[in-house]
Amino acid sequence: MTQALGRSARKRQTILSAGRDLFFSHGYQGTSVDQIAASAEVSKQTVYKHFGDKHELLLAIVTNALESTVAAILERIGALADTADLEADVTALAADYLRAVLQEPVVQLRRLVVGEANRVPELAQLYYNQAPARTLAAFAECFSALHDRGLLRVPEPAMAAEHFAFLVIGRCIDQALFCGGPDVLASVDVDSHVRAGVRVFLAAYQAHAG
Amino acid sequence: MTQALGRSARKRQTILSAGRDLFFSHGYQGTSVDQIAASAEVSKQTVYKHFGDKHELLLAIVTNALESTVAAILERIGALADTADLEADVTALAADYLRAVLQEPVVQLRRLVVGEANRVPELAQLYYNQAPARTLAAFAECFSALHDRGLLRVPEPAMAAEHFAFLVIGRCIDQALFCGGPDVLASVDVDSHVRAGVRVFLAAYQAHAG
């Protein structure tokens, strides 16, 4: 993959990666374009040529990071609609979902975007639309399909999606923003945590025969 | 109250208030002690005399803000243990809880602390322990009492507390970090949102006679 990239595209990736690491550790306001250029071993002019300014670079870093993390979970959610064993498959999906959102780069990205939400509101809105909102919409679509198959009883798919997502990840993702994803993951028994959340979800939403 | 404060205590409050407003709008890293002193109409030396440095001022601002917001909700949760009408009272509490966490100063405080979590981890840990963790512990204690009264069946009170809290506030508080508390509050029908969350909670946890 890297070999196939031209020299300019490789420089772009190097700048994105250097900018991301510096923004994560020193914050957006605490990082200068000079530092990013030095870390990427390019000139300041090269950074400006690729990204215009620091603000554009921040938008590119967040967009780039979201592309790789959101697509995988959306695909998993879509596949659940065809399940032959609802409880087993929804539990497995919930465990993968919880582990995915507690990954260190995901938590760091959230911290960065939330910390700048007052100064760069369009970035925070972009993040919310591209990540949490799309994930919730995918759950709603999946639960609606499972309703049509007679496996769930979900009169309000968007509400059920919200309930499922936050039963599974709610406390953990909230705590991770403050205490860090790896620390939270290490303190949670993912299997029993996820089973408890799924049990509550199914108690409210599973369709009962007869 | 203000009259009873001495001149020094009033200056301290003025500095706290000026620092909070500047940190909220420009960020911790984007605010200098010079700006805080100018806004509070005191000398830079007075800021240092009261708070040591900018870092100590940040800790004092967060501690001060938490004192006033957390105590009220903890008291409300404690009172629920004596309910004579569980569904009505838990629904009313849930609505107040949701409105409380979506208040602009609460969301701003979360953004500030989360944004600095990498640089000031002890502040993030303090915030988590003093606000979310204490609230969850209060819900756990209350649900345990309601279990003993035979109104709920809650074998794991801490897990039930987490489920209740994030069924009620989960999506909204997450979205508010990105999109702002007032915008989220304006887009939600609090009563129907809260009723839906309580319905799921009770489907899983209400004790049934017989």
Side-chain angles (χ1 to χ4, degrees):
Chain A
M1 181 67 185
T2 307
Q3 279 192 322
L5 291 173
R7 184 179 154 78
S8 172
R10 265 182 283 125
K11 272 202 184 168
R12 189 185 153 85
Q13 283 301 327
T14 307
I15 297 165
L16 279 174
S17 169
R20 188 196 57 212
D21 291 349
L22 286 165
F23 286 164
F24 282 178
S25 50
H26 303 296
Y28 176 69
Q29 295 185 309
T31 303
S32 69
V33 173
D34 278 322
Q35 290 170 306
I36 295 165
S39 173
E41 298 182 336
V42 300
S43 71
K44 202 166 157 177
Q45 284 68 33
T46 302
V47 176
Y48 286 130
K49 200 184 74 185
H50 280 277
F51 296 102
D53 60 11
K54 196 171 85 162
H55 176 253
E56 289 295 319
L57 177 59
L58 176 65
L59 291 174
I61 285 168
V62 172
T63 309
N64 190 262
L66 284 175
E67 276 168 17
S68 54
T69 55
V70 178
I73 194 75
L74 293 182
E75 196 173 321
R76 292 275 278 119
I77 297 169
L80 180 67
D82 301 320
T83 181
D85 184 341
L86 177 60
E87 187 169 346
D89 287 348
V90 81
T91 303
L93 169 61
D96 289 347
Y97 178 40
L98 178 59
R99 288 196 187 93
V101 299
L102 292 179
Q103 283 171 58
E104 183 67 358
V106 176
V107 173
Q108 290 293 345
L109 194 66
R110 289 192 140 240
R111 284 181 172 175
L112 178 65
V113 173
V114 165
E116 292 306 315
N118 280 334
R119 268 84 55 198
V120 199
E122 72 279 15
L123 175 69
Q125 190 69 56
L126 171 93
Y127 181 96
Y128 191 79
N129 292 344
Q130 290 297 311
R134 274 172 84 198
T135 306
L136 289 173
F139 276 124
E141 194 178 335
C142 170
F143 295 155
S144 185
L146 292 169
H147 176 103
D148 292 342
R149 288 183 58 198
L151 295 173
L152 294 179
R153 214 186 70 75
V154 178
E156 292 182 279
M159 190 69 88
E162 179 179 331
H163 289 159
F164 178 76
F166 286 90
L167 282 167
V168 171
I169 68 163
R171 190 268 299 172
C172 291
I173 201 175
D174 190 57
Q175 187 175 2
L177 283 172
F178 298 95
C179 309
D183 279 8
V184 172
L185 193 57
S187 72
V188 167
D189 178 337
V190 170
D191 286 339
S192 71
H193 187 270
V194 151
R195 271 199 306 273
V198 168
R199 191 185 62 78
V200 171
F201 179 76
L202 292 180
Y205 288 115
Q206 192 159 33
H208 295 284
Chain B
M1 180 70 183
T2 307
Q3 280 193 319
L5 291 173
R7 184 180 154 77
S8 172
R10 265 183 283 124
K11 272 201 184 167
R12 188 185 154 85
Q13 283 299 328
T14 307
I15 297 165
L16 279 174
S17 169
R20 188 195 57 214
D21 292 349
L22 286 165
F23 286 163
F24 282 178
S25 50
H26 302 298
Y28 176 68
Q29 294 185 309
T31 302
S32 68
V33 173
D34 278 323
Q35 290 170 306
I36 295 166
S39 173
E41 298 182 338
V42 300
S43 71
K44 203 165 157 178
Q45 284 68 34
T46 303
V47 176
Y48 287 129
K49 199 185 74 186
H50 280 275
F51 296 101
D53 59 13
K54 198 172 83 162
H55 176 253
E56 289 296 317
L57 176 60
L58 177 64
L59 291 174
I61 285 169
V62 172
T63 309
N64 190 262
L66 284 175
E67 274 167 18
S68 53
T69 54
V70 178
I73 193 75
L74 293 182
E75 196 173 322
R76 290 276 279 118
I77 297 169
L80 180 67
D82 301 319
T83 180
D85 184 342
L86 177 60
E87 186 168 348
D89 287 347
V90 82
T91 303
L93 169 61
D96 289 347
Y97 178 40
L98 179 58
R99 287 195 188 93
V101 299
L102 291 179
Q103 283 172 55
E104 184 67 357
V106 176
V107 174
Q108 290 293 345
L109 194 65
R110 289 193 140 240
R111 284 181 173 176
L112 178 65
V113 173
V114 165
E116 292 305 316
N118 280 334
R119 267 83 56 196
V120 199
E122 72 279 14
L123 175 69
Q125 190 68 57
L126 171 94
Y127 181 96
Y128 191 78
N129 292 343
Q130 290 297 310
R134 274 172 85 197
T135 306
L136 290 173
F139 276 124
E141 193 178 336
C142 169
F143 294 156
S144 185
L146 292 169
H147 175 102
D148 292 342
R149 288 184 58 199
L151 295 173
L152 293 179
R153 214 186 69 78
V154 178
E156 292 182 280
M159 190 71 89
E162 180 179 329
H163 288 160
F164 178 76
F166 286 90
L167 281 167
V168 172
I169 68 164
R171 190 268 298 172
C172 292
I173 199 174
D174 190 58
Q175 186 175 3
L177 284 172
F178 298 95
C179 309
D183 280 7
V184 173
L185 193 57
S187 72
V188 167
D189 178 338
V190 170
D191 286 339
S192 71
H193 187 270
V194 151
R195 270 199 306 273
V198 168
R199 190 186 62 78
V200 171
F201 179 77
L202 293 179
Y205 288 114
Q206 193 158 33
H208 294 284

